[in-house]
Amino acid sequence: MTSRLDEVAARVRACTRCELHRMRTQAVPGHGNPNAEIMFIGEGPGWHEDRQGLPFVGAAGQFLNEMLSNIGLSRDDVFITNVVKCRPPGNRDPLPDEIAACAAYLDEQIAAIQPKVIVTLGRFSMARWFPNERISRIHGQPRRFGDVVVVPMYHPAAALHQASLRATVEADMAKLPQILAEARREAAAAEEKPQVEQMRLF
Ligand code: URA
Ligand code: SF4
């Protein structure tokens, strides 16, 4: 049976909605556990990702793997994707119309996975939930949006290029198990609430 995520991935691989499809070797829909409690959203595929069809497999990906392993997680426990699924040429920033064209795929992935926590890596995925915020001000601070808690973090590539950010990203990542535990508690409480209210009727 084809899962909803596989079905989205198939449409992403064939997508021609924005100009980025012309320059790609292949699209990079995303990878990981379809039942992940944590979802990571980066910016867009780089050179290695475009070649392999998988997200975060270059230097930034190695660093991300390391940080995941430090909190007892592997890539197969989480789901990893990007704001745009095709590589911007020369790794330039994705353009607003490209992000807008690709947003529906990300919406569908989030709806299919229903993660408890979303970690945004870098400012492009952060802007989806925090459009007017500065990452230097809000990194590492979880905020609830309906059923999901969103935690903005610096992009691992930025941390590789700027030594002072490395410790910051690592410290934010180290908070993730606690943030997830709290999100689980809140989800469980939200599920119990209607029952409690029903019982009061009797
Ligand atoms: N940087 C990103 O934002 N995404 C990737 O998949 C790889 C590097
Ligand atoms: Fe389609 Fe997104 Fe690739 Fe643009 S970046 S062609 S919208 S999959």
Side-chain angles (χ1 to χ4, degrees):
M1 200 187 74
T2 315
S3 73
R4 181 162 173 207
L5 268 183
D6 291 339
E7 191 264 322
V8 174
R11 275 188 284 123
V12 165
R13 288 194 191 94
C15 179
T16 57
R17 267 192 219 166
C18 85
E19 287 301 300
L20 292 181
H21 84 274
R22 295 185 191 284
M23 282 81 74
R24 72 186 176 210
T25 307
Q26 59 193 315
V28 181
H31 176 82
N33 188 333
N35 303 118
E37 292 183 290
I38 308 178
M39 200 169 161
F40 289 87
I41 309 175
E43 180 177 323
W47 189 87
H48 293 280
E49 290 77 20
D50 172 76
R51 292 282 150 155
Q52 294 186 39
L54 291 168
F56 282 95
V57 289
Q62 292 304 311
F63 182 39
L64 180 59
N65 289 350
E66 239 179 82
M67 288 191 290
L68 286 175
S69 136
N70 286 344
I71 52 171
L73 292 173
S74 81
R75 292 168 67 101
D76 294 326
D77 298 319
V78 301
F79 192 88
I80 306 178
T81 188
N82 285 299
V83 167
V84 293
K85 316 300 194 203
C86 304
R87 181 189 181 220
N91 296 348
R92 67 157 168 76
D93 289 348
L95 300 173
D97 66 317
E98 294 161 354
I99 295 172
C102 215
Y105 298 124
L106 189 51
D107 290 338
E108 287 192 71
Q109 290 172 320
I110 295 169
I113 295 166
Q114 296 187 273
K116 290 192 172 67
V117 175
I118 288 175
V119 178
T120 60
L121 300 172
R123 61 199 163 97
F124 292 97
S125 48
M126 182 183 88
R128 207 183 142 96
W129 286 277
F130 306 93
N132 299 310
E133 281 286 3
R134 297 178 66 85
I135 197 160
S136 57
R137 206 182 75 81
I138 64 165
H139 70 87
Q141 297 174 26
R143 197 190 295 175
R144 178 167 285 282
F145 292 82
D147 290 338
V148 69
V149 171
V150 183
V151 197
M153 293 194 196
Y154 281 104
H155 197 289
L160 287 179
H161 294 135
Q162 212 177 317
S164 60
L165 286 185
R166 192 180 169 110
T168 306
V169 186
E170 286 174 337
D172 287 348
M173 214 50 93
K175 289 196 244 168
L176 206 47
Q178 228 182 324
I179 293 170
L180 176 61
E182 178 60 22
R184 279 183 187 145
R185 267 195 295 277
E186 288 172 1
E191 264 182 31
E192 266 173 33
K193 214 172 164 197
Q195 281 174 353
V196 170
E197 270 161 20
Q198 245 176 1
M199 281 167 65
R200 272 200 216 112
L201 294 174
F202 299 97

Short mmCIF file of all heavy atoms in Angstrom, two decimals, residues 67 113 194:
data_model
loop_
_atom_site.label_atom_id
_atom_site.label_comp_id
_atom_site.label_asym_id
_atom_site.label_seq_id
_atom_site.Cartn_x
_atom_site.Cartn_y
_atom_site.Cartn_z
N MET A 67 24.48 15.61 16.46
CA MET A 67 23.66 16.22 17.51
C MET A 67 22.49 15.31 17.88
O MET A 67 22.12 15.22 19.04
CB MET A 67 23.17 17.60 17.07
CG MET A 67 24.29 18.63 17.05
SD MET A 67 23.69 20.32 16.83
CE MET A 67 23.14 20.29 15.15
N ILE A 113 2.29 13.22 9.00
CA ILE A 113 3.12 12.75 10.10
C ILE A 113 2.51 13.13 11.45
O ILE A 113 2.61 12.39 12.42
CB ILE A 113 4.55 13.32 9.96
CG1 ILE A 113 5.21 12.74 8.70
CG2 ILE A 113 5.40 13.02 11.19
CD1 ILE A 113 6.48 13.46 8.28
N PRO A 194 -11.66 15.90 27.14
CA PRO A 194 -13.08 15.73 26.79
C PRO A 194 -13.77 14.70 27.67
O PRO A 194 -14.92 14.88 28.07
CB PRO A 194 -13.03 15.24 25.34
CG PRO A 194 -11.70 15.66 24.83
CD PRO A 194 -10.78 15.67 26.02
#
